[in-house]
Amino acid sequence: KAGVTQTPRYLIKTRGQQVTLSCSPISGHRSVSWYQQTPGQGLQFLFEYFSETQRNKGNFPGRFSGRQFSNSRSEMNVSTLELGDSALYLCASSSFGRLNSPLHFGNGTRLTVT
Amino acid sequence: EDKVVQSPLSLVVHEGDTVTLNCSYEVTNFRSLLWYKQEKKAPTFLFMLTSSGIEKKSGRLSSILDKKELSSILNITATQTGDSAIYLCAPFKGNRDDKIIFGKGTRLHILP
């Protein structure tokens, strides 16, 4: 089974621009969650989608948004980029029975904002 | 508010040493606790602990949950340089709609 795939692997953007990151979950997994990882703050939860619906949201400003498509692929968008948005963005998928199955992570997208 | 605290935040030991990493949590409706290892990019799953006092083992790694103390430990014996990584813990809650929060991790560095 193919793992979680995130694209692109690396991105360099300038302040004020917007960016879209993509995540393809493991086949059959319907839950996709997104995390921001920075050295000081660790892994911080952004949001989770299940069957195209946002199931939960972390404490991030409205510049961070996401969506999920009918094939469970997910995208997250960050508008009006700030320097502090530089981070590793990880997505993770899990099967419907998330309570008993772990999250499977992709390799992440490294975003650098200059 | 839910809280997850890992200690130590950073640890440097020599190859062959044994290390113990700690994870303390305060979450409502706790169901299970997960451990992950992150070497370069993707955190990889190590253990899921649901029952208190039952040790889970995988090679030189083992972990146990203490629901009374709201904590878990991850032990690594006879450490190798390949064990150098960030170790993350995350408590799962009992409701699928609850968000999953991670501790800040323990950065472990093994010296040859």
Side-chain angles (χ1 to χ4, degrees), chain B residues 70-86:
Chain B
L70 306 182
S71 67
S72 174
I73 59 170
L74 175 69
N75 278 319
I76 309 175
T77 59
T79 51
Q80 301 170 358
T81 54
D83 295 326
S84 295
I86 298 173

Side-chain angles (χ1 to χ4, degrees), chain A residues 3-59:
Chain A
V4 178
T5 304
Q6 289 189 247
T7 56
R9 294 292 301 276
Y10 301 93
L11 263 178
I12 300 175
K13 292 283 187 177
T14 54
R15 273 180 300 175
Q17 287 187 311
Q18 76 161 20
V19 67
T20 299
L21 314 181
S22 179
C23 172
S24 292
I26 290 172
S27 177
H29 285 190
R30 290 162 66 186
S31 164
V32 174
S33 49
W34 288 89
Y35 291 83
Q36 181 195 66
Q37 188 175 32
T38 55
Q41 297 298 319
L43 266 174
Q44 291 197 285
F45 174 78
L46 281 155
F47 26 65
E48 180 186 6
Y49 287 88
F50 179 81
S51 291
E52 302 176 68
T53 301
Q54 189 178 82
R55 192 147 74 173
N56 219 317
K57 192 176 185 329
N59 300 324

Side-chain angles (χ1 to χ4, degrees), chain A residues 80-100:
Chain A
T80 322
L81 283 166
E82 300 176 0
L83 294 178
D85 297 332
S86 294
L88 179 66
Y89 290 87
L90 291 163
C91 94
S93 74
S94 65
S95 61
F96 174 74
R98 172 159 72 66
L99 295 178
N100 296 315

Side-chain angles (χ1 to χ4, degrees), chain A residues 9-10 35 37 40 43 45 55-57 88 90 96 98-103 105-107, chain B residues 31-32 34 36 38 41-43 45 48 88 92-100 102 104:
Chain A
R9 294 292 301 276
Y10 301 93
Y35 291 83
Q37 188 175 32
L43 266 174
F45 174 78
R55 192 147 74 173
N56 219 317
K57 192 176 185 329
L88 179 66
L90 291 163
F96 174 74
R98 172 159 72 66
L99 295 178
N100 296 315
S101 63
L103 301 177
F105 284 88
N107 280 324
Chain B
R31 180 180 175 88
S32 58
L34 277 71
Y36 285 83
Q38 185 178 24
K41 293 285 174 73
F45 171 72
M48 176 182 267
L88 300 159
F92 267 27
K93 300 176 72 168
N95 189 333
R96 286 192 187 91
D97 293 336
D98 289 321
K99 58 188 178 185
I100 300 168
F102 282 80
K104 290 191 179 179

Side-chain angles (χ1 to χ4, degrees), chain B residues 22-79:
Chain B
N22 297 280
C23 175
S24 297
Y25 59 89
E26 286 177 34
V27 302
T28 54
N29 198 18
F30 172 84
R31 180 180 175 88
S32 58
L33 188 125
L34 277 71
W35 282 96
Y36 285 83
K37 176 183 181 183
Q38 185 178 24
E39 290 179 80
K40 289 197 172 128
K41 293 285 174 73
T44 53
F45 171 72
L46 292 174
F47 298 110
M48 176 182 267
L49 305 162
T50 306
S51 301
S52 202
I54 299 175
E55 185 182 56
K56 289 217 172 175
K57 224 171 147 53
S58 176
R60 296 175 295 101
L61 277 68
S62 64
S63 184
I64 195 160
L65 177 68
D66 187 336
K67 283 186 179 178
K68 195 174 168 191
E69 295 296 324
L70 306 182
S71 67
S72 174
I73 59 170
L74 175 69
N75 278 319
I76 309 175
T77 59
T79 51

